[in-house]
Amino acid sequence: MALDARSSTFGTLSKKIETRTARAGIIGLGYVGLPLAMAVARSGFAVTGFDIDPKKIVALDARRSYIDAVTNEALTAEIDAGRFSSTTDFAGLADCDVIVICVPTPLTKHRDPDLSFVEATSRSIAAHLRPGQLVVLESTTYPGTTDDIVKVILEGTGLKSGSDFFVGFSPEREDPGNQHYHTATIPKVVAGDGMQALSLMKSFYGAAVSTVVPVSSNATAEAVKLTENIFRSVNIALVNELKTVYAAMGIDVWEVIDAAKTKPFGYMPFYPGPGLGGHCIPIDPFYLTWKSREYELPTRFIELAGEINSAMPRYVVGKLAEALDVRAGKALSRSRVLVLGLAYKKNVADIRESPSLRLIEIIEERGGKADYHDPFVTEIPPTREYQALKGRQSIDLTPEAIAAYDAVLIATDHDMIDYLTLLENAKLIVDTRNVLSRLGLSADHVIKA
């Protein structure tokens, strides 16, 4: 079948995409799906957003965004233009020409991939699948998921990929809080099940983003995403390990990194912290380690990096306990600790996999009392792993409140914190981000960890 045949299923869909008459359906309106929906709508497509959470739909209908990357004004503009609507009714998938899956891919307690959301979503699509649709997976996963799970579930309808419908993969590359790049300006890796699927992928995403990077297969595209995040995981683990070694030698790892990064070649700075957060880096590497077992190949390097990063919250609490003992003569079990920053990175409200949640848990496991302050997170929402913390509220960061705690643990270095007031009123500060030193604020009661 020629790629430009306008009488074919492929040709009809291709023409719809080229003329922006195709309707796109985005499943999962979270940190990936909602910004993508806005980018696709701005490019001229009609977009229907689907989500199982009715609270999100209520918010969107009220023109209220719950994602920092999407402003209320941007959302309102697309709704008023008639290019965006949202629903919990998945029957509307039958009206969509392009369907993009942006659902969570967490790990189980045993660090195995949990593809239940991908599988359930694929079955929902299958229930409404028709000829002439392109189905795309964006959720991060191990190589082979798109072809071996999504495609297989869809072909269970009797329709065939490559002739009746088309399947592709394009890894999300969202970076919450990044002021320099957004969905439409971040290069987009795309792949498809066959040349026609790839052609449709290039055409669809090429309409919404500035740069499209095609690769040879869905498995390759899936591997690209894992490689990007494994790279960061391994390098962060390296500096986290160096932090512990240099601390034992009385050497400041941040000073070492700042000096090392002046080398104009052969070095890229990464920074230590209290642990990894976000959906990608703490989770994605384990997708590859799980898949590699099928080939009887060890992934010792990747697994070791994961172990080092996972151990950081306990290491930090150990340094906190040591500082309380040495500096205040007080056990952690009898101490009140203020954790500064709940989000996993600065200047965002995203708490997915945040090490701050684990820090609070460990402090209280050891008998201490922990509160938190975060200007972006006023209340801890429900989470899968930290149900006991649900509903706790951020305290006001007043001088009196700061002085009431035995220690302040800086876990996230938000810019809008008054660090001078913190320094002047805290009895003890454990700084895991080196923020005070970067601001030129130092004192004997500040400990780096």
Side-chain angles (χ1 to χ4, degrees):
M1 183 185 297
L3 287 180
D4 61 350
R6 288 297 180 258
S7 60
S8 66
T9 302
F10 162 76
T12 301
L13 179 54
S14 182
K15 187 175 181 66
K16 282 185 175 182
I17 292 173
E18 289 172 6
T19 59
R20 309 291 199 274
T21 56
R23 174 172 288 277
I26 312 294
I27 304 178
L29 299 174
Y31 284 93
V32 174
L34 188 58
L36 176 64
M38 293 297 102
V40 172
R42 279 193 296 270
S43 70
F45 293 99
V47 178
T48 302
F50 299 86
D51 204 287
I52 61 174
D53 184 355
K55 292 180 181 178
K56 290 181 180 178
I57 307 306
V58 169
L60 295 172
D61 284 347
R63 293 165 166 74
R64 187 175 69 254
S65 174
Y66 43 83
I67 301 294
D68 292 339
V70 176
T71 65
N72 292 338
E73 293 75 16
L75 174 63
T76 298
E78 299 312 315
I79 293 175
D80 288 348
R83 290 190 294 261
F84 177 74
S85 60
S86 59
T87 181
T88 58
D89 185 2
F90 282 58
L93 291 171
D95 299 324
C96 296
D97 303 292
V98 180
I99 301 172
V100 186
I101 303 170
C102 304
V103 298
T105 48
L107 296 173
T108 69
K109 291 182 179 180
H110 302 290
R111 290 184 175 174
D112 290 336
D114 178 2
L115 294 180
S116 59
F117 296 99
V118 171
E119 293 170 352
T121 301
S122 297
R123 287 192 289 270
S124 295
I125 296 171
H128 305 285
L129 190 68
R130 59 167 171 80
Q133 290 180 309
L134 170 65
V135 179
V136 184
L137 180 63
E138 284 215 6
S139 306
T140 305
T141 184
Y142 59 81
T145 301
T146 305
D147 293 340
D148 298 342
I149 294 181
V150 177
K151 174 183 168 181
V152 169
I153 290 174
L154 298 181
E155 287 192 329
T157 62
L159 299 176
K160 295 300 179 184
S161 174
S163 56
D164 299 315
F165 67 93
F166 305 90
V167 175
F169 181 82
S170 181
E172 58 89 1
R173 279 176 164 173
E174 289 297 321
D175 185 19
N178 192 316
Q179 300 300 311
H180 302 289
Y181 295 99
H182 52 84
T183 303
T185 61
I186 299 171
K188 202 84 169 77
V189 174
V190 299
D193 179 31
M195 292 302 296
Q196 291 183 336
L198 178 59
S199 177
L200 294 169
M201 291 286 288
K202 290 191 291 184
S203 181
F204 174 69
Y205 281 104
V209 303
S210 57
T211 305
V212 171
V213 183
V215 295
S216 61
S217 68
N218 289 330
T220 299
E222 290 161 338
V224 168
K225 175 63 174 178
L226 293 184
T227 300
E228 293 170 0
N229 290 329
I230 289 169
F231 173 80
R232 286 186 55 77
S233 175
V234 168
N235 280 281
I236 292 171
L238 175 61
V239 293
N240 275 331
E241 187 168 65
L242 290 175
K243 173 179 70 175
T244 65
V245 174
Y246 289 153
M249 298 178 179
I251 298 171
D252 185 337
V253 69
W254 283 276
E255 183 181 0
V256 172
I257 294 170
D258 284 344
K261 73 181 183 182
T262 62
K263 184 180 179 182
F265 52 87
Y267 182 80
M268 179 183 294
F270 287 83
Y271 297 93
L276 292 182
H279 172 70
C280 294
I281 304 176
I283 292 175
D284 297 352
F286 293 106
Y287 269 73
L288 186 60
T289 62
W290 179 86
K291 185 64 175 177
S292 70
R293 297 174 202 158
E294 179 181 328
Y295 300 90
E296 298 182 351
L297 292 173
T299 51
R300 292 189 292 269
F301 205 70
I302 299 170
E303 292 184 53
L304 178 59
E307 291 172 9
I308 291 171
N309 290 327
S310 297
M312 281 301 105
R314 194 167 291 281
Y315 169 83
V316 166
V317 174
K319 296 290 285 186
L320 168 66
E322 179 184 333
L324 281 165
D325 181 35
V326 174
R327 299 299 183 100
K330 195 169 186 179
L332 176 59
S333 61
R334 295 186 292 107
S335 299
R336 296 184 66 217
V337 179
L338 176 63
V339 175
L340 191 61
L342 196 72
Y344 83 89
K345 65 182 293 189
K346 65 189 295 184
N347 303 332
V348 301
D350 193 346
I351 69 163
R352 291 176 297 171
E353 308 297 324
S354 174
S356 295
L357 297 168
R358 180 62 178 145
L359 290 169
I360 293 172
E361 184 177 66
I362 296 172
I363 289 168
E364 298 194 339
E365 283 176 354
R366 296 184 58 167
K369 170 61 179 171
D371 293 317
Y372 83 94
H373 170 79
D374 193 306
F376 296 91
V377 186
T378 57
E379 182 175 313
I380 300 180
T383 58
R384 281 188 291 269
E385 294 186 21
Y386 302 98
Q387 288 294 328
L389 302 182
K390 173 187 174 183
R392 293 198 188 184
Q393 297 185 338
S394 173
I395 67 137
D396 293 331
L397 199 65
T398 64
E400 295 76 18
I402 295 169
Y405 291 92
D406 297 294
V408 176
L409 174 60
I410 301 177
T412 313
D413 51 337
H414 292 306
D415 287 338
M416 61 189 300
I417 299 295
D418 185 346
Y419 290 102
L420 181 57
T421 296
L422 180 71
L423 186 72
E424 291 174 343
N425 292 277
K427 297 183 179 74
L428 174 67
I429 300 175
V430 177
D431 187 356
T432 72
R433 299 291 187 177
N434 197 40
V435 60
L436 296 177
S437 181
R438 282 191 279 112
L439 295 174
L441 302 174
S442 62
D444 290 340
H445 64 294
V446 177
I447 306 297
K448 296 182 182 183

